[in-house]
Structure formats: C-alpha cells, structure tokens
Amino acid sequence: MISYWKCKDGFSEINQWKSGCWIRVTKPTDEDLSLLKERFAMPLDFTNDAQDNEERPRVDHEDNWLLVFIRVPRKRADEDGETVFSTAPLAVLIRDDVFITVSYYDNEVLDDFIRWSQRRHINSCKGYDLLVSLMLSTSVWYLKYLKQMKAMMNAAEERLEEKMDNDQLMRMMGLGKYLIYFITSLKGNATVLARIKLRVRSLPHDEDLLEDAEIETQQAIDTAEIYSNILERQQETYSSVIGNNLNRIMKTLTVVTILLMI
C-alpha cells in the first residue's frame, strides 16, 4: 500500500504525490513497487532487501539515492497469548525532494510518529530532518518497550520468589533474548545516525533534533544493557538456588538410601 503524507500542522494524508512529501509504503505489492520504480526510478534491489527480517542497519548510495536501513521495535502476541518483542527493518530512500519509507512488517513507530507530529503541530519536516525524526521516534519506542520488559521481569521475579516455576524461568530467558535483539539493533541504528551526522554536517539541518536522536538512542542502549546485566545476574542466582535445592534433595535421598541398606 502506498500513501502520501504532507507536513503542515502535523503530517496529514494527501491524495497524490507532491514535492517534499513523505511516501509511505507498507507491505508493498509488486504493482506498488513497479509504480514507484517507473515514477521515481527507485532502486528495487534495495527495497527487496527490506523483506529480509535479518537485514542489518546500514547506509548506502545508488544513483543519487541515499539508502538507509534502520531497525524498529515490534511487539506482538504469540499463539499462546504471550508477549513477544522483536525488531524489524525499515528502509528509507532519499533523493532531492523524494522521501520514501518501505516496511514489510507491522510496527507502532510510524503511526505514533504521525500522531505526535499532529499534536505538536509540526509545519516543516522533510529530507534528513524527517529521517532523524523517525530515528528519534524509533528510540523512544525502544525505551517504551524496555519499560514494559522491566515490568515483566519484576512480575516474574515476584512469582519466582514465592515458588520456582519453569514457565517463569522460561519467560525470563525469553526476555534475555529480546534484550539482545534490542541492543544489537540499537547499536546498529547508532552507527547509522553517526554516519548521517557526518553527511549533513555541511547541509541545512536541525542540530537540536539530531542531538536529541543521539541522546535517546544512547539512553536506549544503556537501558537495554543494564536490564540485560540485571537479568543475567538473576538467572545466575536462580541457577544457584536450584543447584542448592538439588544438593539438599540428593543428600536426603542418600541418607534414606543408606538407612534402607542397613
């Protein structure tokens, strides 16, 4: 699906493309991509890479296009109703007055960014500033999801203090995996942001916006690493407790076995 968004008192959808507008492409069909290829000479090889859920954050150039991949956070429920966190690639293509994003995966980042722009009555956001704004919004959503993961860690810890439960232990292991995904994606985004900063140094851009994006991204990295370290230590503690309980049980069984032998 292709939609066009113009920034005037916040982003609002328009019927057709206008210079400087944001072309938002979500789960595109072959017809959508062919249309963009014909009208804007968009490099299809790059957009096809957006289907790969393992695509890493990077910056590339092709035929006057600036091609950027960032990774955005996602949250969904699995078949058992458990919350699953992950990340997904978002492709951004910039050339002159053309700005295109391509996403094959559902996420809350872009819709929330549009609502935020409307609440803040943003009147100008395009090109590199729009890219940096999307990266800032992405980092904010990482922090939101990290807070939810922290709450899940606390809830699991409280249940484990009452009773050792395999389901809670597996849930904490799953949270550790999600944190690793977040840390890896955030560090990749930070590298992309650093390269963008070098590129726009001599171009007109919002310096405060770029600084905010850097701060939020680093804060998200630090938060994810802190939670990951805390979770790792908790798991080591629970492993020690389980080992001690097992030793006590084995000692008891040994005593009973000796008595029976006698």
Side-chain angles (χ1 to χ4, degrees), residues 96-144:
D96 300 329
D97 61 343
V98 181
F99 187 98
I100 304 173
T101 61
V102 181
S103 175
Y104 284 86
Y105 301 91
D106 293 327
N107 64 80
E108 297 182 83
V109 175
L110 299 184
D111 288 333
D112 179 73
F113 172 72
I114 291 172
R115 292 191 294 268
W116 172 84
S117 71
Q118 294 170 350
R119 291 194 302 269
R120 296 291 299 271
H121 304 289
I122 304 298
N123 285 312
S124 178
C125 189
K126 58 184 179 180
Y128 291 106
D129 284 346
L130 178 52
L131 170 59
V132 174
S133 295
L134 290 176
M135 296 188 72
L136 172 60
S137 183
T138 296
S139 297
V140 170
W141 271 98
Y142 272 112
L143 287 167
K144 289 182 180 180

Side-chain angles (χ1 to χ4, degrees), residues 197-225:
K197 183 177 182 179
L198 291 174
R199 184 179 179 87
V200 303
R201 181 178 298 172
S202 59
L203 300 173
H205 67 282
D206 189 334
E207 187 66 34
D208 292 338
L209 179 64
L210 183 58
E211 184 178 352
D212 289 343
E214 289 181 311
I215 292 172
E216 290 295 327
T217 301
Q218 188 59 50
Q219 183 178 350
I221 292 172
D222 293 341
T223 302
E225 289 181 337

Side-chain angles (χ1 to χ4, degrees), residues 2 9 13 45-46 57 63 66 75 84 97 103 146 169 175 179 181 198 221-223 236 251 253 255:
I2 302 175
D9 202 25
E13 190 170 1
D45 290 343
F46 183 79
D63 297 333
L66 173 66
K75 184 180 76 169
V84 176
D97 61 343
S103 175
L146 285 168
L169 288 172
L175 288 172
L179 285 169
Y181 290 159
L198 291 174
I221 292 172
D222 293 341
T223 302
E236 291 176 355
K251 288 179 181 178
L253 289 175
V255 172

Side-chain angles (χ1 to χ4, degrees), residues 8-255:
K8 185 178 181 181
D9 202 25
F11 278 96
S12 56
E13 190 170 1
I14 56 178
N15 295 327
Q16 60 184 1
W17 179 81
K18 292 183 179 179
S19 177
C21 79
W22 168 20
I23 305 173
R24 181 181 175 186
V25 186
T26 306
K27 296 182 178 179
T29 63
D30 291 339
E31 291 77 11
D32 293 334
L33 296 177
S34 297
L35 176 63
L36 293 172
K37 171 68 174 178
E38 179 180 353
R39 182 165 187 180
F40 302 107
M42 184 181 72
L44 293 184
D45 290 343
F46 183 79
T47 55
N48 289 334
D49 289 344
Q51 298 184 65
D52 183 5
N53 194 34
E54 303 300 323
E55 187 64 42
R56 60 183 176 81
R58 57 187 172 91
V59 179
D60 204 349
H61 302 85
E62 182 178 334
D63 297 333
N64 297 323
W65 284 95
L66 173 66
L67 312 174
V68 179
F69 266 119
I70 62 174
R71 294 195 67 87
V72 297
R74 301 178 66 212
K75 184 180 76 169
R76 59 182 178 84
D78 62 12
E79 297 177 352
D80 299 325
E82 295 290 337
T83 301
V84 176
F85 296 94
S86 62
T87 64
L90 174 68
V92 182
L93 303 91
I94 306 174
R95 189 196 67 189
D96 300 329
D97 61 343
V98 181
F99 187 98
I100 304 173
T101 61
V102 181
S103 175
Y104 284 86
Y105 301 91
D106 293 327
N107 64 80
E108 297 182 83
V109 175
L110 299 184
D111 288 333
D112 179 73
F113 172 72
I114 291 172
R115 292 191 294 268
W116 172 84
S117 71
Q118 294 170 350
R119 291 194 302 269
R120 296 291 299 271
H121 304 289
I122 304 298
N123 285 312
S124 178
C125 189
K126 58 184 179 180
Y128 291 106
D129 284 346
L130 178 52
L131 170 59
V132 174
S133 295
L134 290 176
M135 296 188 72
L136 172 60
S137 183
T138 296
S139 297
V140 170
W141 271 98
Y142 272 112
L143 287 167
K144 289 182 180 180
Y145 286 154
L146 285 168
K147 289 181 180 179
Q148 296 178 26
M149 292 167 70
K150 177 61 175 176
M152 294 171 65
M153 288 168 55
N154 291 337
E157 183 179 2
E158 290 177 0
R159 294 190 183 98
L160 286 170
E161 287 178 355
E162 298 174 0
K163 178 183 178 182
M164 284 294 172
D165 183 77
N166 288 338
D167 290 338
Q168 298 301 325
L169 288 172
M170 293 300 296
R171 185 171 288 110
M172 294 192 76
M173 290 178 61
L175 288 172
K177 179 177 66 176
Y178 305 150
L179 285 169
I180 292 174
Y181 290 159
F182 274 26
I183 292 169
T184 304
S185 297
L186 280 163
K187 287 184 176 180
N189 287 355
T191 301
V192 168
L193 192 58
R195 294 193 62 182
I196 296 299
K197 183 177 182 179
L198 291 174
R199 184 179 179 87
V200 303
R201 181 178 298 172
S202 59
L203 300 173
H205 67 282
D206 189 334
E207 187 66 34
D208 292 338
L209 179 64
L210 183 58
E211 184 178 352
D212 289 343
E214 289 181 311
I215 292 172
E216 290 295 327
T217 301
Q218 188 59 50
Q219 183 178 350
I221 292 172
D222 293 341
T223 302
E225 289 181 337
I226 289 171
Y227 290 172
S228 181
N229 291 335
I230 291 173
L231 188 59
E232 184 177 354
R233 292 182 181 180
Q234 287 177 331
Q235 290 174 334
E236 291 176 355
T237 301
Y238 294 135
S239 295
S240 298
V241 171
I242 293 171
N244 291 337
N245 291 340
L246 182 61
N247 288 336
R248 285 198 295 267
I249 293 173
M250 292 304 296
K251 288 179 181 178
T252 303
L253 289 175
T254 302
V255 172

